[in-house]
Amino acid sequence: MSINPHMTVLGAIFLLLAISSQSAVALKVSFIDPCTVADFPALCRGTIKGQTNVNAATDVAIRELMKRTRHAKEIAKKEMKRDGGVATCLSNFNSAFDNLDKALTNIKENDGFSLNINLSAALTDYDTCSDAMKETRETNNVFYKSAGVLYQMADNCLALSTLVKQ
Ligand SMILES: *[C@@H]1O[C@H](CO)[C@@H](O)[C@H](O)[C@H]1NC(C)=O
C-alpha cells in the first residue's frame, strides 16, 4: 500500500485546472451575453441582438427604448384626456426621452457615474407613468401594457449600464 507522491501532485493540478476552467466559462458567459445581468433577460436579448460589447449593447438598448418611447408618445397624444393618467405619461415620457439622450452622451464620454444617474431618472419617469395610470384606474388597455414594457426596458438599460466601465 504505497502512495505515489506524484499522483497526489497530479491530482491537485487536475483539480486546479478544473476549477479555473469553470470560472473561465462563467466569465466567458457574462462576456458574450451582457443580458445575464438584466432583470428581464429575454426582453434584453431581443433588444441588443447579439451585441457583446457592453458599451455598444447599452447604447443599442437605450436607442431602442427611445424609439419605442417616441412611438408611445404619439399614441398618448391621440388617446389623451386632459387630466388623465395618459397626460402624466406624456410629460414623463418627454422627460425620460431627455434623460436617455443625456445617457447616450454619458456612454460616449465614458462617464459611468452620470450614466447611472440619468438612467435612474428615466426609470423613475416610466414608473411615475404607470403609477398615474393605476391611480386613475386606466390599467385595462394596451397603452398601460406598453408603458410597462418601457419600464422593463429602462430597467434593463440600467442593469447593462453597470457593466460600462466607470
Ligand atoms: C446627465 O448627463 C449629462 C450629460 O449628458 C450631465 O451633464 C449630467 O450631469 C448628468 N446628470 C447627472 C445627474 O449626472
Side-chain angles (χ1 to χ4, degrees), residues 101-103 105-106 109 111 113-115 117-118:
D101 202 35
K102 287 178 193 163
T105 308
N106 298 149
E109 293 174 350
D111 184 356
F113 183 76
S114 300
L115 175 63
I117 293 174
N118 279 318

Side-chain angles (χ1 to χ4, degrees), residues 8 15 18 31 36 42 44 59 62 67-68 88 94 104 109 132 145 158:
T8 337
L15 193 67
F31 196 66
T36 48
C44 176
D59 185 274
I62 292 172
K67 197 170 101 189
R68 295 223 202 166
T88 306
N94 282 325
L104 289 177
E109 293 174 350
K145 271 205 195 118
L158 193 56

Side-chain angles (χ1 to χ4, degrees), residues 80-102:
M80 193 167 75
K81 299 177 193 77
R82 196 153 31 93
D83 38 37
V86 180
T88 306
C89 287
L90 185 57
S91 74
N92 277 280
F93 286 175
N94 282 325
S95 164
F97 199 88
D98 290 345
N99 286 316
L100 293 172
D101 202 35
K102 287 178 193 163

Side-chain angles (χ1 to χ4, degrees), residues 65 92 95-96 99-100 117-127 154:
L65 177 55
N92 277 280
S95 164
N99 286 316
L100 293 172
I117 293 174
N118 279 318
L119 283 178
S120 300
L123 184 65
T124 302
D125 293 329
Y126 292 111
D127 201 28

